[in-house]
């Protein structure tokens, strides 16, 4: 009887250990929690769209280390992301990501939010959610200082001009509003457009006012052109908001933080970003 009971006990113990072992086995994917729930707030940005965001080599002027590199990110977007992270009690982590990769990075869970000068367009809203706006701007043109187009007052003054904008942005689509324009292939980023403009490959590029101010501040060869008769846009096109995953629980908190930043403070943050941006050669 004792032998039978002992055998039964051993069998029972083996089953319990087997079940326990199965229950504790997890794949690396299943054990990975969203970054915002385990102490960090991962934010994606290009770090190449001054004064909204840029790359620098040290932590000066409040720069934040870029994940996986020796570089740092600075700019208006970084300052906004800092405030959000602090309010959530999280460590801000900047993930440098190409523009086209930002939305996929968000939907795949690689980042918690996009804070990258992104407009909450209807097309983007089909894939991701957005916070309330944290900046509003106008479209302008960046041209050569002293060049043929520096005195333009209407977008139609750019008839025949070689004009471009960033790939996969509404900036590129509005070029079609210029009659007879020589629309050039879209470019990946703003540094590339600045190089193309200075070298004469293009006559100008479409931008938002802060980036254009940044361009002419950093390089005396550039000039921002504002229009009396400008591009036709929707309110969402010229607004800027934080991109968040569909149904994210972060949305209410982010909106709460943004609501606490006055228009005067936002203007001050932008002025400081323009002042602190790295010089371009």
């Amino acid at each position: 009887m004792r032998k039978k009971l002992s055998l039964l006990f051993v069998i029972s113990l083996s089953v319990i250990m087997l079940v326990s072992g199965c229950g504790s086995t997890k794949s690396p994917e299943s054990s990975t929690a969203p970054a915002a729930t385990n102490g960090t707030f991962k934010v994606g940005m290009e770090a190449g769209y001054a004064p909204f965001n840029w790359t620098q080599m040290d932590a000066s002027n409040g720069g934040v280390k870029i994940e996986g590199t020796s570089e740092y990110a600075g700019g208006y977007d970084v300052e906004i992301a800092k405030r959000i992270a602090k309010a959530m009690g999280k460590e801000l982590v900047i993930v440098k990501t190409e523009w086209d990769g930002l939305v996929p990075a968000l939907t795949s869970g690689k980042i918690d939010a996009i804070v990258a000068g992104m407009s909450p367009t209807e097309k983007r809203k089909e894939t991701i959610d957005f916070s309330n706006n944290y900046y509003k701007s106008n479209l302008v043109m960046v041209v050569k200082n002293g060049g043929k187009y520096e005195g333009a007052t209407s977008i139609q003054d750019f008839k025949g001009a070689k004009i471009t904008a960033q790939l996969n942005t509404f900036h590129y689509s509005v070029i079609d509003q210029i009659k007879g324009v020589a629309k050039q292939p879209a470019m990946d980023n703003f540094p590339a457009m600045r190089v193309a403009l200075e070298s004469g490959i293009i006559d100008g590029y479409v931008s938002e006012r802060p980036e254009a101010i940044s361009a002419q501040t950093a390089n005396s060869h550039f000039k921002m052109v504002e229009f009396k008769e400008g591009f036709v846009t929707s309110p969402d096109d010229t607004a800027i908001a934080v991109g968040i995953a569909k149904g994210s629980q972060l949305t209410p908190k982010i909106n709460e933080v943004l609501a606490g930043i006055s228009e005067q403070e936002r203007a001050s943050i932008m002025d400081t970003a323009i002042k602190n941006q790295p010089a371009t050669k």
Side-chain angles (χ1 to χ4, degrees), residues 41-59:
F41 178 52
K42 287 197 169 187
V43 167
M45 62 179 64
E46 289 177 279
Y49 182 36
F52 288 99
N53 53 78
W54 65 70
T55 299
Q56 59 189 50
M57 300 313 296
D58 56 40

Side-chain angles (χ1 to χ4, degrees), residues 8 22 65 88 103 115 122 127 165 207 211 233 236 242 276:
L8 181 59
C22 290
K65 189 78 174 293
M88 294 192 299
V103 171
V115 188
E122 289 303 317
T127 307
S207 182
E211 190 282 333
T233 63
D236 282 348
V242 178
N276 291 339

